[in-house]
Amino acid sequence: MPRSSRLRPAPGPDLRLQPLPGLPGGIVEIAAAADGVAERVAGLLLQALETGAPVGLATGRTMQPVYAALRRQFGHWSEPRRQQLLARWCSFNLDEYAGLGAADPGSFAAEMVAALVQPLGLAPGRLQLPNGLAADPNAEARRYASAVAAAGGITLQLLGLGSNGHVGFNEPPCPADAACRWVELSAATRRQNAAAFGADPAAVPERAITLGTADILAARQVLLVVTGEAKAEILRRTLQEAPDPAVPASWLQTHPRLRVVLDAAAASALRLS
Ligand code: GLP
């Protein structure tokens, strides 16, 4: 069966779907603009979450319209379908800043409470993140990886792309087999994420706990979402140059089921035929 008919649901009319040249396990879907990306990705996430299998979630500006679309789609569902989703929901976020808890507005926990937990009415514990306040962050990283494994492993891993090629907080250089761990953030990442900290890179925490490249590659499906022209070149290096520790996201090329959803601006540097 051709790959495009095996991967459901079919994209909407404004999405162009095609294989990724040179990547037998890869497929790319390109929407004209970021709102088409958000609707498509939200639909894929809801479809995976409805099964009750663990879904890997991500934070960042790319995901904000995705979660807005998810809330909208959820709002159009019948009450029984909504209740069933809330009862089945199982998700694990990729990462969290070390030293920050949900009470801190800069934490990913706070971002997820505002984006999904509170508006959807998710019960505590259904949406999980590493505990940034753990006294021993290395032990917390091990506990978190064990919790993912105990839940059965990630069925669909949502990923954004860092402007330096990171996924989660796997900063370059990073091998393909990095475990869930306590990491130091690069200056580039602290600059990229400064907006949530009063635009001050020095206020961005120096360290984080992140699922590793090994955990990400162990997911049964990977869903990489990239929007905007600013990431077009790092996306080209991610998908169309040989995998390299200098671009941690490039290890995704080795995944057997990689789906990349892009807007036309992010796709502008790719060779697609
Ligand atoms: C952040 C997060 C990633 C995120 C990426 C892209 O630092 N750790 O999980 O996907 O960088 O962020 P943005 O979407 O804001 O560009």
Side-chain angles (χ1 to χ4, degrees):
M1 192 184 295
R3 193 171 181 81
S4 55
S5 59
R6 194 157 51 80
L7 291 166
R8 290 179 193 283
D14 65 328
L15 275 145
R16 203 150 46 86
L17 181 148
Q18 54 194 100
L20 267 164
L23 292 188
I27 193 159
V28 65
E29 295 180 13
I30 303 171
D35 55 347
V37 171
E39 290 297 333
R40 172 63 169 159
V41 174
L44 291 167
L45 289 176
L46 284 167
Q47 184 193 37
L49 287 160
E50 272 195 298
T51 70
V55 172
L57 296 180
T59 47
R61 280 155 295 187
T62 311
M63 300 310 160
Q64 285 168 8
V66 169
Y67 295 144
L70 190 154
R71 294 191 298 269
R72 261 197 316 277
Q73 292 182 23
F74 178 84
H76 291 132
W77 286 8
S78 67
E79 182 61 19
R81 190 176 177 195
R82 285 205 293 260
Q83 289 309 323
Q84 181 170 280
L85 178 76
L86 297 178
R88 287 188 176 168
W89 188 291
C90 176
S91 68
F92 291 89
N93 266 69
L94 277 168
D95 45 18
E96 178 60 286
Y97 291 113
L100 301 191
D104 193 305
S107 69
F108 290 156
E111 189 174 323
M112 296 308 290
V113 167
L116 294 179
V117 176
Q118 196 269 331
L120 300 186
L122 276 167
R126 294 232 152 247
L127 184 152
Q128 303 187 56
L129 299 99
N131 176 11
L133 295 177
D136 180 344
N138 285 310
E140 170 58 11
R142 288 193 295 275
R143 180 203 68 79
Y144 195 64
S146 303
V148 170
I154 301 292
T155 184
L156 176 68
Q157 178 64 61
L158 174 66
L159 296 173
L161 179 64
S163 32
N164 64 352
H166 75 215
V167 277
F169 273 136
N170 292 281
E171 298 279 41
C174 181
D177 61 354
C180 184
R181 68 205 185 287
W182 190 37
V183 293
E184 194 171 333
L185 300 181
S186 69
T189 292
R190 293 176 73 212
R191 275 197 305 276
Q192 180 189 319
N193 289 5
F197 297 87
D200 178 9
V204 179
E206 291 175 10
R207 302 192 69 111
I209 298 170
T210 184
L211 289 180
T213 44
D215 305 290
I216 290 167
L217 292 171
R220 285 183 273 289
Q221 286 187 69
V222 172
L223 176 56
L224 175 66
V225 184
V226 189
T227 52
E229 196 181 353
K231 290 189 184 164
E233 173 57 16
I234 192 67
L235 179 70
R236 185 195 65 76
R237 291 178 63 196
T238 293
L239 296 176
Q240 299 192 322
E241 285 190 5
D244 189 320
V247 182
S250 65
W251 299 119
L252 299 176
Q253 291 180 36
T254 66
H255 195 280
R257 289 188 78 189
L258 169 66
R259 186 195 302 250
V260 186
V261 184
L262 309 172
D263 65 1
S268 59
L270 293 180
R271 179 179 40 79
L272 285 170
S273 53

